[in-house]
């Protein structure tokens, strides 16, 4: 990345944190461009994913990444975070609340009902958007059961060895 910086949209905190874990210095090795901004480059390397359309041997055109690739990414990141699988210091039943999110969340009344039911089964609520990325990974890595609303808020389940996922879907979405 010293010769070819990454060109990315403006970075959020968790994205900066992830890049730093990967050994990329956002202030030195990343050029950020907002909507409507542009830059001229003399040479560009444009990586393409190995899924779904660039690999004809993958039959699933849904955009689901290769499991082996995800597990390799998981292992490398957990090694760099010095975080062994099955973190014993976190709650075993987690509810990833989206109550503070902008979109895809329950009404306050429904959130309260869902939380009271989940608490009766020993779940603890966590607001991942309040935690640094590494702490999100740490929280999910030790959970045995994770519950939450469908969406990007559950992306970090990649770092969990949870045996169960209770995922709520909005029936009005495809």
């Amino acid at each position: 990345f010293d010769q070819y910086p990454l060109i990315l949209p403006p970075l959020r905190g968790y994205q900066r944190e992830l890049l730093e874990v990967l050994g990329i210095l956002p202030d030195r090795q990343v050029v950020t461009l907002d909507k409507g901004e542009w830059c001229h480059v003399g040479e560009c390397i444009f990586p393409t994913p190995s899924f779904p359309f660039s690999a004809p041997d993958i039959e699933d055109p849904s955009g689901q990444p290769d499991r082996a690739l995800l597990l390799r990414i998981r292992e490398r990141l957990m090694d760099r975070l010095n975080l062994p699988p099955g973190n014993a210091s976190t709650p075993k039943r987690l509810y990833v609340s989206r109550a503070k999110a902008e979109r895809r969340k329950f009404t306050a009344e429904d959130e309260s009902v869902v939380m009271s039911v989940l608490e009766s089964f020993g779940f603890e609520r966590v607001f991942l958007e309040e935690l640094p990325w590494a702490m999100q990974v740490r929280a999910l890595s030790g959970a045995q059961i994770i519950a939450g609303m469908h969406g990007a808020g559950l992306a970090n389940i990649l770092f969990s060895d949870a045996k169960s996922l209770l995922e709520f879907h909005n029936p009005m979405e495809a």
Side-chain angles (χ1 to χ4, degrees), residues 20-172:
E20 289 168 1
V21 168
L22 293 171
I24 299 168
L25 304 172
D27 293 332
R28 197 171 72 83
Q29 297 168 292
V30 175
V31 174
T32 58
L33 297 175
D34 212 338
K35 289 181 182 178
E37 295 180 332
W38 62 276
C39 70
H40 178 80
V41 296
E43 193 174 349
C44 180
I45 299 171
F46 189 83
T48 57
S50 60
F51 53 88
F53 303 112
S54 62
D57 55 318
I58 297 177
E59 295 179 16
D60 181 7
S62 68
Q64 296 300 316
D66 178 80
R67 177 178 167 76
L69 174 62
L70 283 178
L71 291 175
R72 281 198 320 267
I73 292 170
R74 174 189 193 264
E75 183 179 324
R76 284 185 183 173
L77 288 172
M78 289 184 83
D79 283 348
R80 289 181 182 216
L81 289 171
N82 197 23
L83 183 64
N87 188 354
S89 65
T90 59
K92 297 302 176 197
R93 295 179 178 205
L94 280 182
Y95 167 54
V96 178
S97 176
R98 293 193 44 88
K100 297 180 181 182
E102 292 178 26
R103 298 180 297 130
R104 202 179 272 145
K105 61 183 177 180
F106 290 118
T107 64
E109 182 180 330
D110 288 344
E111 173 82 7
S112 177
V113 171
V114 167
M115 194 59 228
S116 68
V117 170
L118 291 174
E119 279 179 338
S120 73
F121 287 96
F123 281 80
E124 291 185 36
R125 178 168 40 186
V126 63
F127 299 98
L128 293 181
E129 60 267 54
E130 292 181 344
L131 300 175
W133 178 76
M135 292 303 295
Q136 293 177 33
V137 171
R138 190 173 307 280
L140 294 174
S141 71
Q144 293 175 348
I145 302 174
I146 299 171
M149 181 70 76
H150 172 78
L154 294 178
N156 286 333
I157 63 171
L158 170 66
F159 301 101
S160 174
D161 289 325
K163 303 299 182 218
S164 298
L165 171 66
L166 176 60
E167 186 175 16
F168 303 109
H169 286 259
N170 181 341
M172 302 307 288

